[in-house]
Amino acid sequence: MGVMRGMPFFLALKAEAFHLADRTSEALDLINEAEELTERFEQSFWCAELHRLRAVFLAALGADETQIEASFCEAIRIAKEQKSVSLEKRAEATYAEYLRQKASALGERGFRLPLW
């Protein structure tokens, strides 16, 4: 039981590695799996980061901007709700970079957003 509670964090790390290896669709699948586990075991401490990573991966895949922005907004909302300043700032910074790239049309073939 205790091992499964930490699994979303490790799945997120694996998803980041897949994304860096240009296997972003598989990374997105891992984020979905991690999110299912957080719901199943009611461990919401990593949910904000999962939503932020989902937005990063969706942006890289060139997904619909409403999906991307909804994921960023959910990441920020959850981080604020949990009073996690670091996760809130991380989500806000990545969202700001997404908006900057979108405004300058750098993301025509998918966005490259930081994982940090």
Side-chain angles (χ1 to χ4, degrees):
M1 183 73 158
V3 173
M4 293 306 289
R5 289 187 176 176
M7 191 60 93
F9 170 76
F10 293 112
L11 287 172
L13 290 177
K14 186 175 179 180
E16 288 179 4
F18 274 43
H19 173 66
L20 292 173
D22 291 324
R23 295 170 62 183
T24 305
S25 61
E26 292 170 86
L28 196 54
D29 292 339
L30 288 167
I31 293 301
N32 291 334
E33 183 180 343
E35 197 166 69
E36 288 173 16
L37 288 173
T38 60
E39 290 175 18
R40 182 174 170 197
F41 293 104
E42 298 177 0
Q43 295 291 313
S44 61
F45 70 93
W46 204 242
C47 284
E49 182 65 359
L50 294 176
H51 282 284
R52 186 189 74 83
L53 288 172
R54 176 190 312 312
V56 169
F57 301 156
L58 287 171
L61 292 170
D64 182 64
E65 72 181 57
T66 56
Q67 287 182 299
I68 297 165
E69 292 185 9
S71 289
F72 276 126
C73 290
E74 187 66 2
I76 295 165
R77 184 195 68 76
I78 291 169
K80 283 181 180 179
E81 182 179 286
Q82 294 177 340
K83 296 178 179 27
S84 176
V85 175
S86 61
L87 292 179
E88 179 185 349
K89 297 300 178 196
R90 179 185 282 194
E92 288 174 343
T94 311
Y95 187 34
E97 177 60 17
Y98 165 75
L99 293 174
R100 187 191 69 72
Q101 287 185 26
K102 182 176 146 184
S104 64
L106 291 176
E108 289 178 5
R109 291 171 281 162
F111 295 84
R112 283 310 276 189
L113 300 171
L115 288 176
W116 45 259

